[in-house]
Amino acid sequence: MHCRPSRLFSLLTCSLAMSVMLCGVASAKPTLPDFVDLAKKLKPTVVNISTAKTIKPQRRFQRPFNSPFGNDPFQDFFDRFFDESQQHPYKQKSLGSGFIISDEGYIITNNHVVAEADEIKVKLSDGREFKGEIKGTDEKLDLALLKISAKDHLPVAPLGDSDTIEIGEWVMAIGNPFGLSQTVTAGIVSAQGRVIGSGPYDDFIQTDASINPGNSGGPLFNTQGEVIGINTAIVAGGQGIGFAIPVNMAKNIIPMLKEKGKVTRGWIGVSIQPITPDLAQSFGLEGEKGALVAEVIKDGPAEKAGIKAGDIILEFNGRAIHEMNELPRLVAATPVDKKITVRILREGQPQELAVKVERLKDGEEGDQVGVSQERLGITVRELNKELAAKLRIKEQNGVVITDVKPDSSAEQAGIARGDIIREINGSKITSVGDYDKAVGSHKKGAVMRMLLRRGDMSLFVAFRVE
């Protein structure tokens, strides 16, 4: 009587065990990276950077009134109190991060961490402090190369291959957020190829590993303990949205920073804009691929090669251009004086042209990604979602003013950063190409009338071309 239940129980137990075992095999989960081991191994390669620079305040006090009787005792009091007591130079201090890339003491960080610094101190994880020397900077990529002199061997962070990373893979950041040294955070790669409006070569890795002020210049590691990015930017007010420069972009310029202290880039002399669905249809394109040439710089390499406004660049030196932003990065990385082949689409017909890449001169912005160099005392850029968020404006398309030159006619007319240009002298402005064409037709001294969109209102401004 008691055997059957016992036997039945045994059979059920065995069946259940087999089911659990099979389920365990079927639903096996990948193990998490050993962040404990990674942190122990990699923390010594990360440094804290503290800087100080001297700020000389500009005279900002305006006298509240002018006495009709000449010298006024109250006026003299304001002069002495404000113009003297508040105009003394002072030290501005900031904190950042970096990582050691060679036993010789070379360190990578962000340019904005050390820019214009009078003093740079580098602190290692073991507490030792060294004076940091700037060996080279690259403002366009926001990178800087420092050097310290240490007698002992230094721990070195190995550089990985940022081209091989995938969305969703684990990463770890180490840095100095808010002055809290040697802070370790972990997350995943959230996205790649982000354009956030910081410059013509934007190609950021987005991560949800916690990045905060003070993390700038610190490394983003993969699970093999290799640097795959340099933490650089965050979204103000956002959580879990940080951006890192792909390490491969840094590896390309480190030799130049060591040897020359600056970066030499290629240039072909074009202004480009993205391909919209309507533009793609009008040009007979399948998909929105390529970079549309909005303007060709006079006497530049592109003009010499026969490239014209309206051409669509499909390939550069054998590399397909899937998105407009890829072209400036490819051009910049091409050796100067190298002759390459550019495949274009002109009036529906593909052509190949030979272009000799020239050197990008200091002060130039390179081959523009929907950006126009300073004209009329203003700099403009084509809007996208990231730039709109950065400027805190509702519009997400059109041409926006990103900078206004102090004391220019544009500033005096009331033009401000974040204004969207709708018209110039009655001509509609929807792209940087439209803007350049409208501006180029006006000579010095001519009156320029603009219709601007500012917040929820529209307004006209007029000023003379400088």
Side-chain angles (χ1 to χ4, degrees), residues 107-404:
I107 294 169
I108 287 289
T109 187
N110 283 140
N111 178 64
H112 75 258
V113 171
V114 297
E116 301 178 2
D118 301 318
E119 303 172 13
I120 301 174
K121 290 184 180 179
V122 176
K123 187 176 181 179
L124 275 57
S125 63
D126 60 11
R128 287 183 294 167
E129 287 192 3
F130 297 89
K131 179 182 178 181
E133 177 188 1
I134 298 177
K135 301 301 292 185
T137 60
D138 180 24
E139 187 176 352
K140 289 184 173 63
L141 276 190
D142 194 11
L143 290 174
L145 182 67
L146 308 182
K147 192 175 186 303
I148 60 174
S149 298
K151 297 179 181 179
D152 301 330
H153 289 293
L154 295 170
V156 174
L159 304 185
D161 184 357
S162 53
D163 290 341
T164 63
I165 63 172
E166 296 186 42
I167 296 172
E169 74 172 77
W170 285 100
V171 287
M172 186 175 75
I174 304 178
N176 186 30
F178 301 110
L180 301 171
S181 62
Q182 298 292 303
T183 295
V184 179
T185 57
I188 62 169
V189 174
S190 305
Q192 293 175 265
R194 287 298 196 205
V195 177
I196 63 175
S198 68
Y201 310 120
D202 280 13
D203 187 24
F204 288 96
I205 300 167
Q206 182 181 328
T207 179
D208 67 350
S210 185
I211 306 295
N212 290 290
N215 274 110
S216 290
L220 188 68
F221 292 103
N222 61 17
T223 54
Q224 285 74 50
E226 301 168 328
V227 179
I228 50 93
I230 299 96
N231 301 317
T232 300
I234 59 175
V235 173
Q239 292 184 352
I241 305 177
F243 301 98
I245 301 167
V247 75
N248 284 8
M249 297 181 75
K251 288 195 291 187
N252 289 336
I253 68 168
I254 288 172
M256 287 184 275
L257 293 179
K258 282 184 179 180
E259 295 173 13
K260 302 178 181 179
K262 60 181 181 178
V263 177
T264 300
R265 289 189 168 90
W267 176 74
I268 62 172
V270 293
S271 176
I272 57 176
Q273 66 182 78
I275 305 290
T276 64
D278 290 339
L279 282 172
Q281 184 177 356
S282 69
F283 283 110
L285 273 174
E286 293 184 5
E288 300 151 35
K289 59 183 179 180
L292 175 60
V293 178
E295 181 186 17
V296 179
I297 306 302
K298 185 174 177 59
D299 297 326
E303 185 186 61
K304 294 174 184 176
I307 294 177
K308 300 178 180 179
D311 289 345
I312 298 173
I313 299 177
L314 301 174
E315 291 183 8
F316 183 86
N317 199 25
R319 295 281 297 273
I321 306 299
H322 300 290
E323 295 183 358
M324 172 194 70
N325 297 297
E326 297 173 349
L327 181 62
R329 297 194 292 267
L330 290 174
V331 174
T334 304
V336 175
D337 294 331
K338 182 176 181 179
K339 203 165 190 178
I340 53 92
T341 299
V342 175
R343 187 168 178 266
I344 66 168
L345 187 72
R346 178 181 296 169
E347 298 179 354
Q349 298 298 317
Q351 295 184 31
E352 289 189 350
L353 300 172
V355 180
K356 186 178 180 181
V357 177
E358 294 184 6
R359 180 177 66 85
L360 176 66
K361 298 176 182 178
D362 292 339
E364 291 180 340
E365 286 296 324
D367 299 290
Q368 303 299 297
V369 186
V371 180
S372 181
Q373 295 179 16
E374 183 180 275
R375 298 179 181 182
L376 312 176
I378 63 176
T379 302
V380 303
R381 186 181 180 93
E382 284 184 6
L383 268 173
N384 53 41
K385 290 182 179 179
E386 289 82 7
L387 183 56
K390 182 179 180 181
L391 295 174
R392 298 181 180 180
I393 54 180
K394 296 179 181 178
E395 305 282 343
Q396 294 187 358
N397 53 59
V399 176
V400 64
I401 295 170
T402 58
D403 191 49
V404 182

Side-chain angles (χ1 to χ4, degrees), residues 4-27:
R4 288 183 62 188
S6 177
R7 184 167 177 267
L8 179 61
F9 179 79
S10 298
L11 289 172
L12 288 172
T13 304
C14 181
S15 177
L16 182 61
M18 290 181 65
S19 175
V20 171
M21 182 175 67
L22 290 173
C23 284
V25 172
S27 61

